[in-house]
């Protein structure tokens, strides 16, 4: 089973987007809407295992502001908050304030040049993916044959659904792909869909349990396509 495609997670894997990208965008939205909610770094870390921005706001309200959820129209209000947060996040990323992690650009360029198929499997919103790719590697969105993001599936990571969705569209078996993830939640999603997975832990996920990963690497610097092919071949044995 030769390696045909690389399936990349976004937040934490391509870039450290959470602490200085998503988190301040949520906080700016809350402040602009007159809500005294504030997610400091530690609280945000506690909320991160709930993937998806709308889902994260809802989970926070369940714990701290059940009154907000009891109001009529709470779901629409959450959706509106999230849309505003997305606009703010996209502006941050488009301004070039979030760099790619070490080795990411080189590996993605090599994969594209050498004809290894590329796809994205993320819980973040599709606008955020395009903004990050275009800000960091202009024109690279087109290199990704499939972009699985946000509400494309009903159940976000750790459910395997987004990986299954991407595999269907690539028309490839899981065994011919390799996923790169940064979190235990993402690892569960990828391996749940049967995709062999390499983990590069990020700021918030260092120290999580990555059992089931093919390997855990500090980052992608120095990693070659030949390394990925060898790791993938090892998984098939
Ligand atoms: C990371 C996430 C996302 C982002 C917020 O996803 O959990 O929820 O924090 O994104 P991944 P939205 O690691 O799969 O890329 O606010 O756009 O939902
Ligand atoms: Mg991630």
């Amino acid at each position: 089973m030769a390696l045909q495609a690389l399936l990349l997670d976004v937040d934490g894997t391509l870039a450290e987007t959470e602490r200085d990208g998503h988190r301040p965008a949520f906080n700016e939205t809350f402040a602009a809407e007159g809500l005294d909610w504030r997610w400091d770094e530690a609280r945000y870390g506690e909320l991160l295992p709930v993937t998806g921005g709308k889902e994260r706001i809802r989970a926070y309200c369940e714990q701290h502001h059940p009154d907000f959820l009891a109001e009529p129209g709470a779901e629409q209000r959450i959706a509106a908050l999230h849309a505003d947060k997305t606009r703010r996040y996209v502006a941050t990323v488009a301004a070039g304030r979030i760099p790619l992690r070490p080795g990411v650009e080189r590996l993605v360029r090599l994969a594209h040049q050498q004809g290894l198929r590329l796809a994205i499997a993320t819980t973040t919103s599709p606008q955020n993916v395009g903004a990050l790719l275009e800000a960091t590697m202009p024109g690279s969105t087109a290199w990704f044959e499939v972009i699985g993001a946000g509400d494309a599936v009903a159940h976000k990571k750790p459910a395997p659904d987004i990986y299954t969705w991407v595999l269907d569209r690539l028309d490839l078996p899981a065994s011919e792909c390799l996923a790169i993830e940064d979190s235990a939640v993402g690892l569960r999603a990828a391996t749940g869909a049967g995709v062999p997975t390499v983990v590069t832990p990020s700021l918030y996920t260092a120290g999580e349990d990555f059992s089931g990963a093919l390997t855990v690497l500090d980052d992608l610097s120095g990693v070659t396509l030949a390394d990925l092919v060898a790791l993938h071949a090892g998984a098939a044995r």
Side-chain angles (χ1 to χ4, degrees), residues 49-203:
V50 178
T51 62
K54 293 187 288 292
E55 292 81 353
R56 191 167 296 144
I57 295 171
R58 197 178 302 120
Y60 169 74
C61 288
E62 277 164 10
Q63 273 194 341
H64 301 280
H65 302 283
D67 45 321
F68 182 92
L69 292 181
E71 292 286 320
E75 279 307 313
Q76 289 92 313
R77 191 126 189 250
I78 289 174
L81 289 171
H82 186 246
D84 184 78
K85 174 262 168 180
T86 298
R87 278 191 293 278
R88 293 172 190 278
Y89 176 82
V90 163
T92 301
V93 167
R97 302 214 328 248
I98 308 281
L100 294 175
R101 288 186 62 188
V104 168
E105 174 166 0
R106 190 185 41 79
L107 204 61
V108 168
R109 281 189 187 282
L110 271 175
H112 172 63
Q113 284 160 8
Q114 313 237 339
L116 184 61
R117 297 170 70 186
L118 286 167
I120 294 283
T122 178
T123 58
T124 204
S125 307
Q127 305 93 302
N128 300 349
V129 181
L132 181 68
L133 291 175
E134 291 305 318
T136 53
M137 299 181 283
S140 64
T141 312
W143 303 350
F144 291 83
E145 230 176 283
V146 178
I147 295 187
D151 298 326
V153 291
H155 302 289
K156 293 180 178 165
K157 299 175 189 177
D161 303 29
I162 195 65
Y163 277 95
T164 308
W165 189 95
V166 167
L167 291 170
D168 282 350
R169 276 151 190 81
L170 288 171
D171 196 21
L172 283 175
S175 57
E176 293 183 13
C177 299
L178 186 73
I180 307 185
E181 277 283 356
D182 70 300
S183 67
V185 160
L187 173 65
R188 264 176 70 193
T191 54
V195 184
T197 305
V198 170
V199 174
T200 53
S202 57
L203 270 175

